[in-house]
Amino acid sequence: MTDFKQLLTAFERFAYGQSLHSAFVELLDWALLPFKKWDDAESQNIAFQKYQSHPKIKHLTVLITLIGDLSEGFNDPLGELYMQAISNGHNGQYFTPTPICDMLAIMNLGNDTKPGQSVCDCACGSGRTLLAAAKINRYLKLYGADLDITCCKMALLNMLLNSLTGEIAHMNSLSNAFYTGYEVNITLVNGFYHPYYVEFTEPEQSNIWLHDPIGTEVKPVFTTPFEPVRAAQPINGVQGSLF
């Protein structure tokens, strides 16, 4: 059985000679490369050649294999690796423990979910809550957004490794500022379902980004100017006795 310590050791070997953070980002980018849907066969072949020509391809292959093994059962080895080796709680990046995510998913979804039903996490981190929802029904449409692009890539890879469908958006959920979106889907090839993602930058293509209402006029809540309330008697500035 694959142990998390094996993954940590393999990652340290892969990261030798560079910072752990840059090595982790590189790992995510290279792991995502084969899943990207390209516009033509030539672009796809160039991407695969780039993947195979990586100077640390052997270490990379070992890492991705370990991550795949540890991801069985909708687990999140990427998030665990990130917390232990990279973030160390920087900017509050301690992801919600898996049992808590499982509890939240059960409380919000129950047992009455239907295929295609939407689940959204507007601060998804590495995607643990989405994975918890998939444990209940893997045929849900899962949507996640995060301000940290590294977290978005972790969540995206977790979706792909488990053949889930939906979208991951790199955006600010509070201000609605949109940067990059990743549509996640599966396709049937030679009798096997293959997960893939499509990258886009237009917010109108996103199902998470808050769209402007179309064909409706938003009426203001207040119809009259605000008038401040004035005291009936002038305030003398002397504090009275409570008793």
Side-chain angles (χ1 to χ4, degrees), residues 37-86:
K37 183 178 180 181
W38 302 93
D39 295 331
D40 51 74
E42 183 180 357
S43 299
Q44 185 179 40
N45 290 331
I46 292 173
F48 285 159
Q49 289 174 7
K50 180 181 178 182
Y51 182 83
Q52 294 171 348
S53 62
H54 192 281
K56 298 181 181 178
I57 185 63
K58 292 183 178 179
H59 293 295
L60 189 61
T61 303
V62 169
L63 265 177
I64 295 175
T65 302
L66 290 172
I67 290 169
D69 290 342
L70 289 167
S71 296
E72 289 288 338
F74 302 104
N75 291 314
D76 179 30
L78 284 168
E80 198 65 35
L81 178 62
Y82 182 76
M83 285 190 296
Q84 292 197 27
I86 311 300

Side-chain angles (χ1 to χ4, degrees), residues 4 20 53 71 77 99 136 171 183 191-192 205 216 218 229 238:
F4 179 77
L20 294 179
S53 62
S71 296
I136 298 174
M171 63 177 289
E183 179 190 353
F192 295 94
Q205 295 179 250
T216 57
V218 180
V229 177
V238 179

Side-chain angles (χ1 to χ4, degrees), residues 191-202:
F192 295 94
Y193 286 100
H194 290 261
Y196 70 91
Y197 73 94
V198 177
E199 184 176 344
F200 59 90
T201 55
E202 295 297 328

Side-chain angles (χ1 to χ4, degrees), residues 82-93:
Y82 182 76
M83 285 190 296
Q84 292 197 27
I86 311 300
S87 73
N88 295 314
H90 181 64
N91 291 333
Q93 284 182 312

